[in-house]
Amino acid sequence: MTETQPTSGFQQLDREGLVQRVAKILSRAIVSGKLAPGARLSESVVARELGVSRAPVREAARLLESSGLVISEPNRGFFVRQVSAKALNDLYGLRLAIEIAVVERLAQNWNDEIDETLTAQVAELHRVAAEETDMFTQVEADMQFHRLMCNGSDNPKFLQVFEQIAIETEFSIMLIGRLYDDPTRIAETHEPILAALRTHDTDAAVKAIRYHISEAQRIVIDQFRLLE
Amino acid sequence: MTETQPTSGFQQLDREGLVQRVAKILSRAIVSGKLAPGARLSESVVARELGVSRAPVREAARLLESSGLVISEPNRGFFVRQVSAKALNDLYGLRLAIEIAVVERLAQNWNDEIDETLTAQVAELHRVAAEETDMFTQVEADMQFHRLMCNGSDNPKFLQVFEQIAIETEFSIMLIGRLYDDPTRIAETHEPILAALRTHDTDAAVKAIRYHISEAQRIVIDQFRLLE
DNA sequence: AAACTGTAGATTGTCGACAATTTACTTGAC
DNA sequence: GTCAAGTAAATTGTCGACAATCTACAGTTT
């Protein structure tokens, strides 16, 4: 429906604006830990380093502000956000609320397409666990499973909030510096959720997701407190 | 704790930036319906009308974008968001998920201060209903009750998401143009929630909020469909 | 007539410069 | 030595101008 001209196999060339590119670079720098929490994000410095003017940098920073990676203080500039154990804990609280609603819907609107997608993602989880890939890949694969669930809920709002949560969560996990648990075990703990959804058992699915998120929360928070 | 200089009763004079002021003006214009959904938000026109340069207008528009009032199309500018019945329905779905989590917490962490605050707000609801104030005031008072609940949940994340929801909801209700229900009845339907919370009855509170939100959802959506 | 091409006007995207504000440092009084 | 006031450098806030892009309309071809 979107493809109007399937004549030649030309690939859509990069039409994303300067602002988006700057935002991506900055967000990578923050999530990967190159910019420590609390660090000042100087417009002039970033602009000079990237060889652009300050205007796109400012807009990119505003974008990052709305995804919660940086905060702006009037007349003082942008700073990489400080995360506290409490804030991280609260984040998981929000995530639980969202994901409970999502699995409730999924259990009712279950179909083969979603089944296939989620099953494949659990397989992917096992694959990256076995191959012992880097932490970023592991965390991303985990998040992707939950993202797919939100996407399958048929409510874009859940996905929208989840994306925000995902960015902050990854940010915090990267801060911890190492994976919080055995990757294989993480892969396995997704299976009860899937099993419950397959049988349209709403209560079991809610219980499974509640357990899953709470476990992740406990482990991450424990690890995080060690840094404070 | 925030007051460091309680010497004289001076009021904090307007230190909020130009961006915030522009954002507030635009947001008022959109929510009040002066700018119809789908309308283009021309930077140059707005800048000229307000007597400022385009830079602050752009930033304000970005701010509004993150609160969901406008959307930006690259190289084409900003447009007032179109809302569909489905989107509005989804919004209430998200709101329900959040508020369920909020009342669960409130039922457990109940204290006199919150009790007092919420009771006062229900009284306020009855007051504005009796005085037959304008719709905006009515809706705002309703939202304030739920905002106070989120605020009392001791999880700023819930409040943050709620604020986003509140803006979009008010926007949609203003679109409908008239109040969706009898104000007095609205005021009354908040009481079961409060009653359940007072007795720390989590299940009853969840049931009450579920009923409350679902009713509002049903009424608003029905009204909204008439516009489409 | 329908569809493509080209051009002119308008709008957004980006930039460098100046004004306003904050920050760091120095100076001076107690 | 400590604290306050004053000053200079650095940084953000805002602006007007130019470049890149889009939109609409006219002209041309089939």
Side-chain angles (χ1 to χ4, degrees), chain A residues 90-102 165 206 209-214 217, chain B residues 101 105:
Chain A
D90 290 346
L91 189 63
Y92 273 96
L94 173 62
R95 184 170 160 193
L96 182 58
I98 299 295
E99 295 213 35
I100 284 176
V102 166
I165 294 173
V206 170
I209 195 74
R210 205 183 274 274
Y211 176 79
H212 179 78
I213 306 274
S214 302
Q217 180 172 24
Chain B
R105 271 144 222 267

Side-chain angles (χ1 to χ4, degrees), chain B residues 18-19 52-54 56 75-76:
Chain B
L18 192 50
V19 173
V52 298
S53 103
R54 276 173 44 217
N75 291 320
R76 286 185 21 87

Side-chain angles (χ1 to χ4, degrees), chain A residues 9 11 13 16 20 22 36 60 64-65 71 73 75 77 83 109 111 128 135 146 162 188 191-192 200 203 217 224:
Chain A
Q11 200 179 3
L13 56 80
E16 79 181 345
Q20 280 73 16
V22 173
L64 263 55
E65 183 185 15
I71 55 171
E73 297 185 25
N75 290 320
V83 289
N109 309 341
N111 64 53
V128 298
M135 189 176 79
H146 296 271
F162 179 81
E188 283 168 1
E191 280 159 6
H200 304 250
D203 287 348
Q217 180 172 24
F224 191 85

Side-chain angles (χ1 to χ4, degrees), chain A residues 90-98, chain B residues 97-102 105 149-151 153-165:
Chain A
D90 290 346
L91 189 63
Y92 273 96
L94 173 62
R95 184 170 160 193
L96 182 58
I98 299 295
Chain B
I98 299 295
E99 297 214 32
I100 285 176
V102 166
R105 271 144 222 267
M149 284 210 303
C150 292
N151 192 48
S153 72
D154 195 38
N155 184 342
K157 282 283 155 196
F158 287 130
L159 185 59
Q160 186 188 320
V161 176
F162 179 81
E163 291 296 359
Q164 215 173 306
I165 294 173

